[in-house]
Amino acid sequence: MIEGLYIHIPFCHQICRYCDFVKMVPQKGMPSIYVEHLIRELESNIPLLTNLKTIYFGGGTPTLLDQSLLARLFEAISHRLNLSLLEEYTIEANPNDITKTLGAMFVQHGINRVSLGVQTFSPHLLTFLGRTHRPDDIGRAIQELRASGIKNINIDLIYAIPGQSIQDLKMDLNQVLGCHPQHISAYNLILEEKTILYHAYQNQQFEFLDDELELEMSDLIESTLLEAGYHRYEISNYALPGYESKHNLLVWNLEEYLGIGMGSHSQYQRKRLVNHTTFSSYIAAIDEIGLGFAHEEPYEPEIEFVMLGLRKTAGIDVDRFETLFGQPIFQRFPELKHHLATGLLEKKGRQLQLTKQGLDLANQVFVTLF
Ligand code: SF4
């Protein structure tokens, strides 16, 4: 049963240097064409969307859409879908797009969670990443959102940015805590192919931080946030009690969700379905069949279950694995026993989880699953 809906808005003000998401800087007229097609894709899927608990607007930058287009989308959702079971309604936003009127419009349409792409408060690191907002925008955006009645705010942080020092990170963490968000995501910067940063790296324009410093940063984030009352419920995610992201948990728990929009993914009937990733092919697909579906991605649910599940600090329920897949987890993945012996994993009752050391070295566990 599908309980989550993801809606992808691919447009951005400019392209960040590290970004490998499905995104584009729109030409004039594209956003309104896109929104009309998105609504048609939504309409094609209405029979599947009768039990929604979460809706998540991601991107790209959803708040790049002007307010009339956003309102048109929000209204299409509330008029066409049964939202009586909805618990969490999130939109990603750029800090410099937030205004009091935008916040009020979110609240008016039932949005109860805003995820801000902050990344860092250091001007030189924002420039390195190619972000368009300035540090001052962040505090102002949070104030406007709170004044509008949004009570659940996530801040996205990036760390291990070339040129970042421990002192820079301490300043970021102080600033974040000063904003009192309910949720914090902290991801280390990863060099992805086909990004602006990748080419700069190939041309030796900068060096990455060494592994030791990156680990020190990860430890600093954990200790600072734990001390401030957050708990780490996923490798890169921290929340005040009760504010864990319901939508992300649904994805990590391998529950079914539907993605609409360019490049979105769906998890449905143990299949991973992928939408067209270019504007023209997505629009053509909607015109032709009313769906953005492009292809089915090779997908092994057992591996996904273990990889996504172990990213959560609560780990995975080994009995649930057996119920879902018909064989004991240690029979399907004998190497997990080895990680128990080396101390990267531990078993508490039915839960198999990464240890503190395992959280730092999770990739060593994940690569052995294939
Ligand atoms: S705003 Fe987000 S989606 Fe857009 S380019 Fe930057 S990182 Fe990518």
PDB file of all heavy atoms in Angstrom, residues 330-343:
ATOM      1  N   PHE A 330      21.004 -14.267   7.981  1.00  0.00           N
ATOM      2  CA  PHE A 330      22.407 -14.708   7.980  1.00  0.00           C
ATOM      3  C   PHE A 330      22.652 -15.811   6.949  1.00  0.00           C
ATOM      4  O   PHE A 330      23.789 -16.087   6.595  1.00  0.00           O
ATOM      5  CB  PHE A 330      22.827 -15.160   9.384  1.00  0.00           C
ATOM      6  CG  PHE A 330      22.839 -14.019  10.369  1.00  0.00           C
ATOM      7  CD1 PHE A 330      21.887 -13.941  11.376  1.00  0.00           C
ATOM      8  CD2 PHE A 330      23.780 -13.005  10.264  1.00  0.00           C
ATOM      9  CE1 PHE A 330      21.880 -12.876  12.263  1.00  0.00           C
ATOM     10  CE2 PHE A 330      23.783 -11.930  11.149  1.00  0.00           C
ATOM     11  CZ  PHE A 330      22.823 -11.865  12.151  1.00  0.00           C
ATOM     12  N   GLN A 331      21.574 -16.421   6.496  1.00  0.00           N
ATOM     13  CA  GLN A 331      21.717 -17.401   5.408  1.00  0.00           C
ATOM     14  C   GLN A 331      21.866 -16.657   4.078  1.00  0.00           C
ATOM     15  O   GLN A 331      22.689 -17.011   3.245  1.00  0.00           O
ATOM     16  CB  GLN A 331      20.469 -18.279   5.388  1.00  0.00           C
ATOM     17  CG  GLN A 331      20.579 -19.498   4.495  1.00  0.00           C
ATOM     18  CD  GLN A 331      19.302 -20.325   4.615  1.00  0.00           C
ATOM     19  OE1 GLN A 331      18.785 -20.561   5.706  1.00  0.00           O
ATOM     20  NE2 GLN A 331      18.768 -20.739   3.484  1.00  0.00           N
ATOM     21  N   ARG A 332      21.079 -15.585   3.917  1.00  0.00           N
ATOM     22  CA  ARG A 332      21.147 -14.813   2.664  1.00  0.00           C
ATOM     23  C   ARG A 332      22.447 -13.999   2.595  1.00  0.00           C
ATOM     24  O   ARG A 332      23.049 -13.853   1.541  1.00  0.00           O
ATOM     25  CB  ARG A 332      19.921 -13.885   2.580  1.00  0.00           C
ATOM     26  CG  ARG A 332      19.929 -12.896   1.424  1.00  0.00           C
ATOM     27  CD  ARG A 332      19.837 -13.580   0.069  1.00  0.00           C
ATOM     28  NE  ARG A 332      19.818 -12.617  -1.036  1.00  0.00           N
ATOM     29  CZ  ARG A 332      20.890 -12.032  -1.552  1.00  0.00           C
ATOM     30  NH1 ARG A 332      22.091 -12.311  -1.054  1.00  0.00           N
ATOM     31  NH2 ARG A 332      20.782 -11.184  -2.551  1.00  0.00           N
ATOM     32  N   PHE A 333      22.877 -13.463   3.752  1.00  0.00           N
ATOM     33  CA  PHE A 333      24.100 -12.637   3.780  1.00  0.00           C
ATOM     34  C   PHE A 333      25.049 -13.167   4.860  1.00  0.00           C
ATOM     35  O   PHE A 333      25.172 -12.575   5.946  1.00  0.00           O
ATOM     36  CB  PHE A 333      23.763 -11.173   4.086  1.00  0.00           C
ATOM     37  CG  PHE A 333      22.886 -10.504   3.061  1.00  0.00           C
ATOM     38  CD1 PHE A 333      21.570 -10.181   3.359  1.00  0.00           C
ATOM     39  CD2 PHE A 333      23.376 -10.201   1.796  1.00  0.00           C
ATOM     40  CE1 PHE A 333      20.761  -9.561   2.417  1.00  0.00           C
ATOM     41  CE2 PHE A 333      22.570  -9.581   0.845  1.00  0.00           C
ATOM     42  CZ  PHE A 333      21.259  -9.269   1.154  1.00  0.00           C
ATOM     43  N   PRO A 334      25.756 -14.284   4.593  1.00  0.00           N
ATOM     44  CA  PRO A 334      26.621 -14.870   5.626  1.00  0.00           C
ATOM     45  C   PRO A 334      27.706 -13.902   6.110  1.00  0.00           C
ATOM     46  O   PRO A 334      28.157 -13.989   7.261  1.00  0.00           O
ATOM     47  CB  PRO A 334      27.258 -16.082   4.929  1.00  0.00           C
ATOM     48  CG  PRO A 334      26.593 -16.223   3.614  1.00  0.00           C
ATOM     49  CD  PRO A 334      25.761 -15.024   3.339  1.00  0.00           C
ATOM     50  N   GLU A 335      28.106 -12.947   5.243  1.00  0.00           N
ATOM     51  CA  GLU A 335      29.179 -12.016   5.634  1.00  0.00           C
ATOM     52  C   GLU A 335      28.781 -11.110   6.805  1.00  0.00           C
ATOM     53  O   GLU A 335      29.635 -10.555   7.491  1.00  0.00           O
ATOM     54  CB  GLU A 335      29.668 -11.176   4.443  1.00  0.00           C
ATOM     55  CG  GLU A 335      28.616 -10.491   3.600  1.00  0.00           C
ATOM     56  CD  GLU A 335      27.814 -11.466   2.731  1.00  0.00           C
ATOM     57  OE1 GLU A 335      28.356 -12.469   2.249  1.00  0.00           O
ATOM     58  OE2 GLU A 335      26.618 -11.211   2.578  1.00  0.00           O
ATOM     59  N   LEU A 336      27.464 -11.003   7.053  1.00  0.00           N
ATOM     60  CA  LEU A 336      27.042 -10.182   8.197  1.00  0.00           C
ATOM     61  C   LEU A 336      27.555 -10.778   9.510  1.00  0.00           C
ATOM     62  O   LEU A 336      27.838 -10.056  10.463  1.00  0.00           O
ATOM     63  CB  LEU A 336      25.510 -10.047   8.230  1.00  0.00           C
ATOM     64  CG  LEU A 336      24.893  -9.224   7.083  1.00  0.00           C
ATOM     65  CD1 LEU A 336      23.372  -9.208   7.195  1.00  0.00           C
ATOM     66  CD2 LEU A 336      25.429  -7.793   7.064  1.00  0.00           C
ATOM     67  N   LYS A 337      27.696 -12.106   9.544  1.00  0.00           N
ATOM     68  CA  LYS A 337      28.232 -12.763  10.755  1.00  0.00           C
ATOM     69  C   LYS A 337      29.668 -12.317  11.000  1.00  0.00           C
ATOM     70  O   LYS A 337      30.086 -12.105  12.133  1.00  0.00           O
ATOM     71  CB  LYS A 337      28.202 -14.285  10.571  1.00  0.00           C
ATOM     72  CG  LYS A 337      26.884 -14.896  10.914  1.00  0.00           C
ATOM     73  CD  LYS A 337      27.045 -16.404  11.018  1.00  0.00           C
ATOM     74  CE  LYS A 337      25.675 -17.031  11.116  1.00  0.00           C
ATOM     75  NZ  LYS A 337      25.624 -18.362  10.568  1.00  0.00           N
ATOM     76  N   HIS A 338      30.406 -12.182   9.906  1.00  0.00           N
ATOM     77  CA  HIS A 338      31.794 -11.735  10.005  1.00  0.00           C
ATOM     78  C   HIS A 338      31.842 -10.321  10.617  1.00  0.00           C
ATOM     79  O   HIS A 338      32.672 -10.040  11.484  1.00  0.00           O
ATOM     80  CB  HIS A 338      32.416 -11.757   8.599  1.00  0.00           C
ATOM     81  CG  HIS A 338      33.715 -11.028   8.490  1.00  0.00           C
ATOM     82  ND1 HIS A 338      34.885 -11.527   9.033  1.00  0.00           N
ATOM     83  CD2 HIS A 338      34.026  -9.830   7.927  1.00  0.00           C
ATOM     84  CE1 HIS A 338      35.856 -10.658   8.800  1.00  0.00           C
ATOM     85  NE2 HIS A 338      35.369  -9.625   8.133  1.00  0.00           N
ATOM     86  N   HIS A 339      30.908  -9.459  10.203  1.00  0.00           N
ATOM     87  CA  HIS A 339      30.905  -8.089  10.745  1.00  0.00           C
ATOM     88  C   HIS A 339      30.475  -8.071  12.218  1.00  0.00           C
ATOM     89  O   HIS A 339      30.873  -7.182  12.965  1.00  0.00           O
ATOM     90  CB  HIS A 339      29.992  -7.186   9.912  1.00  0.00           C
ATOM     91  CG  HIS A 339      30.453  -7.031   8.498  1.00  0.00           C
ATOM     92  ND1 HIS A 339      31.727  -6.627   8.175  1.00  0.00           N
ATOM     93  CD2 HIS A 339      29.823  -7.258   7.316  1.00  0.00           C
ATOM     94  CE1 HIS A 339      31.856  -6.597   6.857  1.00  0.00           C
ATOM     95  NE2 HIS A 339      30.716  -6.975   6.315  1.00  0.00           N
ATOM     96  N   LEU A 340      29.677  -9.064  12.605  1.00  0.00           N
ATOM     97  CA  LEU A 340      29.349  -9.185  14.041  1.00  0.00           C
ATOM     98  C   LEU A 340      30.624  -9.512  14.815  1.00  0.00           C
ATOM     99  O   LEU A 340      30.896  -8.940  15.875  1.00  0.00           O
ATOM    100  CB  LEU A 340      28.332 -10.312  14.261  1.00  0.00           C
ATOM    101  CG  LEU A 340      26.845  -9.979  14.101  1.00  0.00           C
ATOM    102  CD1 LEU A 340      26.017 -11.252  14.191  1.00  0.00           C
ATOM    103  CD2 LEU A 340      26.380  -8.972  15.147  1.00  0.00           C
ATOM    104  N   ALA A 341      31.424 -10.418  14.239  1.00  0.00           N
ATOM    105  CA  ALA A 341      32.651 -10.855  14.916  1.00  0.00           C
ATOM    106  C   ALA A 341      33.678  -9.718  14.987  1.00  0.00           C
ATOM    107  O   ALA A 341      34.401  -9.592  15.981  1.00  0.00           O
ATOM    108  CB  ALA A 341      33.240 -12.062  14.185  1.00  0.00           C
ATOM    109  N   THR A 342      33.734  -8.868  13.938  1.00  0.00           N
ATOM    110  CA  THR A 342      34.754  -7.801  13.940  1.00  0.00           C
ATOM    111  C   THR A 342      34.283  -6.555  14.688  1.00  0.00           C
ATOM    112  O   THR A 342      35.023  -5.587  14.819  1.00  0.00           O
ATOM    113  CB  THR A 342      35.124  -7.378  12.497  1.00  0.00           C
ATOM    114  OG1 THR A 342      33.928  -6.934  11.847  1.00  0.00           O
ATOM    115  CG2 THR A 342      35.761  -8.506  11.718  1.00  0.00           C
ATOM    116  N   GLY A 343      33.023  -6.563  15.125  1.00  0.00           N
ATOM    117  CA  GLY A 343      32.554  -5.442  15.947  1.00  0.00           C
ATOM    118  C   GLY A 343      31.955  -4.285  15.164  1.00  0.00           C
ATOM    119  O   GLY A 343      31.674  -3.236  15.737  1.00  0.00           O
TER     120      GLY A 343
END
